[in-house]
Amino acid sequence: MAEARIDPSVLELNDRVVSINRVAKVVKGGRRFSFTALVVVGDGRGHVGVGLGKAHEVPEAIRKAVEHAKKDLIFVPLKDTTIPCEITGHFGAGRVFLKPAVPGTGVIAGGAVRPVLEAAGVQDILTKTLGTNNPHNVLKATIDALRQIKRLQDLHAARKRSVDGAGAVEEVASGRPEATH
């Protein structure tokens, strides 16, 4: 099931550069240098996206990364100032563990996890990066964890609807109301 696309034009998105890397391509005459930029965009109210751009100049790489991030926005369900449940995201060798925290804790996160959570609007959370600390894999593992939260909530809502719907059918079939759980 594909996720619904979020229109970035209606949101006030802020971008934050996570990492810039100089990469070299060896050609006959020597080395050709270009830059890759890893950028996070978010509105601070649950929408966040990650993008990667590559160009010969840094500003152009950042611009491309922002465009890419706006195309891949996701919605993060928040419970007050934190996330609703513990979750672990995976991507490549990177694993990110996210745990909800009580109000006033702050964002206890390091490396590439912090910008994603701050862009999404999470204010209280505990995190642990497991495996690699490569920013590309850590960012994508964090996004994977946030997507899993959305999927879990959708699944929970669907199960709740099916249980409520089944209870209503039993009530009509028997003729007398019964308590449904």
Side-chain angles (χ1 to χ4, degrees):
M1 186 170 93
E3 293 181 33
R5 282 191 43 115
I6 298 167
D7 185 17
S9 61
V10 297
L11 301 172
E12 294 179 29
L13 297 172
N14 300 319
D15 55 283
R16 186 163 164 190
V17 177
V18 176
S19 75
I20 294 177
N21 190 24
R22 188 180 79 168
V23 293
K25 176 183 179 183
V26 179
V27 293
K28 187 176 177 182
R31 292 188 187 96
R32 293 247 172 98
F33 294 105
S34 60
F35 297 90
T36 61
L38 200 55
V39 174
V40 173
V41 298
D43 66 348
R45 291 188 297 276
H47 296 95
V48 68
V50 173
L52 177 67
K54 185 175 179 182
H56 290 291
E57 291 91 25
V58 174
E60 183 67 12
I62 292 172
R63 185 192 62 76
K64 286 181 179 180
V66 169
E67 278 182 18
H68 183 256
K70 286 181 180 178
K71 289 179 185 173
D72 291 332
L73 286 173
I74 65 166
F75 178 73
V76 180
L78 300 176
K79 182 180 176 186
D80 297 327
T81 60
T82 188
I83 58 174
C85 61
E86 288 183 9
I87 201 87
T88 303
H90 303 268
F91 186 86
R95 291 193 336 247
V96 174
F97 175 68
L98 305 176
K99 184 176 179 181
V102 296
T105 303
V107 178
I108 310 297
V113 180
R114 177 180 289 271
V116 175
L117 297 173
E118 287 176 349
V122 179
Q123 295 172 2
D124 302 302
I125 192 165
L126 302 167
T127 68
K128 180 64 182 163
T129 304
L130 308 163
T132 185
N133 59 359
N134 177 344
H136 296 268
N137 289 345
V138 170
L139 267 183
K140 289 182 179 177
T142 307
I143 291 292
D144 177 57
L146 298 175
R147 273 198 172 110
Q148 283 183 41
I149 292 173
K150 179 82 171 102
R151 278 190 229 118
L152 282 173
Q153 283 202 331
D154 291 346
L155 184 67
H156 181 70
R159 285 182 178 166
K160 194 171 184 180
R161 269 196 307 271
S162 68
V163 168
D164 291 345
V169 170
E170 290 171 5
E171 181 179 318
V172 172
S174 67
R176 60 179 202 271
E178 295 178 4
T180 55
H181 299 273

